[in-house]
Amino acid sequence: MADNLSDTLKKLKITAADRTEDSLEGCLDCLLQALAQNNTETSEKIQGSGILQLFASLLTPQSSCTAKVANIIAEVAKNEFMRIPCVDAGLISPLVQLLNSKDQEVLLQTGRALGNICYDSHEGRSAVDQAGGAQIVIDHLRSLCSITDPANEKLLTVFCGMLMNYSNENDSLQAQLINMGVIPTLVKLLGIHCQNGALTEMCLVAFGNLAELESSKEQFASTSIAEELVKLFKKQIEHDKREMIFEVLAPLAENDAIKLQLVEAGLVECLLEIVQQKVDSDKEDDVAELKTGSDLMVLLLLGDESMQKLFEGGKGSVFQRVLSWIPSNNHQLQLAGALAIANFARNDGNCIHMVDNGIVEKLMDLLDRHVEDGNVTVQHAALSALRNLAIPVINKAKMLTAGVTEAVLKFLKSEMPPVQFKLLGTLRMLIDAQAEAAEQLGKNVKLVKRLVEWCEAKDHAGVMGESNRLLSALIRHSKSKDVIKTIIQSGGIKHLVTMATSEHVIMQNEALVALALIAALELGTAEKDLESAKLVQILHRLLADERSAPEIKYNSMVLICALMGSESLHKEVQDLAFLDVVSKLRSHENKSVSQQASLTEQRLTVES
């Protein structure tokens, strides 16, 4: 074999020069045979013999051997070490020229050769790009799209594969294909050739690659991709095939227009069916499919239109089915059910309807099942749903009466930041403008101490921010001396003062209003903590800073006036020459600020 191969390569050099086609064909057949028997070894010999350079001259449209030469190049390019040598031997340009051939076999072998050279090879892709290969292949796909005979479908499959290898994991080449209009062409291919497994698979892999690119979503949305994928999905029985479709659906469903198209094409019904079929199975594939299906369902509900369509005024069968997931014993379904409710709870009408129809009790039962060593993702999802449901004013009292605060407080001991974050957000929503509830919570020493502890969670900005906001909310909504005393005794003052320097205006404002209430109701008790937290210096800085928002300047001055009742704080105010800063604000463009500046100036003048 080795000797034969060496002879063949020598002979090929001579016959290639003479262009005697018969003996050339014999040599090429020998090479193909050798490659079939041992591709790697034969490829190494071909590379060593310098014959690759000769192939460039043999790739002519007129020659009857062209398809065989392209076939040999396709075979050797299966080896990674042969791809750059193929580029260096100048094979790309003649191969791309051959894409203009009318001979189907030449096109097939050329497509294979270019596809294999591009596989995982930057040099290969670059050369094909420079030679303009992609556009010619896309034009072929367009013109051959409607022909369904097996030979044509094989060619279409090779061309799709070539484009995939050309652009895989390369954003700029994928963007190039999108600009050339590959997406509508591939969608059309999928629709026409959905009976052909290999071609369908190629289209799906190509979609999976392209769908990751943000710029592709709009193009996909203007095609019938949703309809085609759902149609294909309904036909699939095998797990692997469904998995492939899921991999395309997930990135596409991030686009709101496509979410709606998928809902209208009936994807939700397919997903609900999968859940029903797989829920009791513990086979690995079924568990994976249940997760993928229910996750996708939740994703579809993230679009406002698709969500509202499925809610159907709370009477929709999809909404009802999702409700039934919450009491299930399957953690994945409990999670998806709670997340779906959180997504349905994105407008007041839906929230009010759900609370009136007993959803809160279902979520509290679910939380109850996860208090001890519970599933963190389920806890987080159920708390998210409760937080969203608590946003409409009309729901707050109902949820408080139902015992939501008590259910949520059971998770105070959680050490998981995502759970802590949602717990804090839920409580803050519940007590908004609910004085009695705010007072009750604000006197809960265990809660307030935990909040003060979380105000120092520097590694978790979200938890830290929400703890500060809840501390402030307890004071602002209760206006209660007892609550203020509890917060002072637990060491909360310094955190409220720090919160006044937050980069978020809303948090600064909440802090200043809470501090003004403290100063008005319990100044004597809070005095030392306010001093050591350097509140007066911070207020001076906020008033002097031109970037401070008008409401921050206004509330800082209100607070300054409230602090004058304390001798030591009054002295600090005098020492810092507040009058200069305040008098400048009398001419502030904001009327409330300028009026408050006049009042504050009078107060400072009288008190000095």
Side-chain angles (χ1 to χ4, degrees), residues 182-334:
V182 75
I183 288 174
T185 306
L186 289 174
V187 173
K188 198 171 164 196
L189 269 183
L190 183 68
I192 295 171
H193 303 273
C194 55
Q195 303 302 331
N196 184 303
L199 185 48
T200 298
E201 212 162 294
M202 275 300 178
C203 286
L204 288 174
V205 179
F207 290 146
N209 289 344
L210 296 168
E212 297 292 341
L213 225 62
E214 211 38 58
S215 60
S216 73
K217 306 272 184 13
E218 272 178 42
Q219 274 216 22
F220 273 119
S222 64
T223 68
S224 59
I225 185 76
E227 206 181 310
E228 296 301 349
L229 287 174
V230 172
K231 211 166 25 178
L232 193 63
F233 192 84
K234 285 176 178 169
K235 289 183 198 159
Q236 301 308 327
I237 303 148
E238 293 168 54
H239 168 77
D240 292 348
K241 289 274 171 28
R242 280 180 170 182
E243 202 58 40
M244 280 188 86
I245 301 172
F246 272 140
E247 279 170 18
V248 180
L249 287 169
L252 285 180
E254 286 167 11
N255 176 281
D256 282 359
I258 300 175
K259 282 187 183 79
L260 188 60
Q261 290 169 10
L262 289 168
V263 167
E264 286 170 343
L267 179 61
V268 171
E269 289 70 17
C270 299
L271 297 176
L272 289 172
E273 202 175 312
I274 285 177
V275 167
Q276 203 167 353
Q277 287 167 2
K278 313 291 178 185
V279 65
D280 297 320
S281 168
D282 46 17
K283 275 167 58 187
E284 200 177 321
D285 280 357
D286 291 347
V287 172
E289 212 166 309
L290 177 76
K291 178 176 175 10
T292 313
S294 52
D295 283 350
L296 188 51
M297 180 78 194
V298 172
L299 182 57
L300 292 176
L301 293 172
L302 276 172
D304 288 338
E305 280 188 82
S306 50
M307 176 272 286
Q308 215 47 48
K309 190 173 177 65
L310 294 171
F311 189 67
E312 288 182 66
K315 298 186 172 47
S317 61
V318 173
F319 172 65
Q320 296 302 331
R321 286 278 283 283
V322 167
L323 276 188
S324 72
W325 292 356
I326 293 174
S328 133
N329 289 320
N330 182 302
H331 281 183
Q332 174 56 34
L333 276 197
Q334 294 171 356

Side-chain angles (χ1 to χ4, degrees), residues 32-52:
L32 282 168
Q33 215 174 340
L35 283 163
Q37 284 171 358
N38 188 333
N39 191 316
T40 310
E41 196 181 311
T42 307
S43 295
E44 282 169 352
K45 288 248 166 64
I46 289 173
Q47 191 190 357
S49 71
I51 204 92
L52 275 180

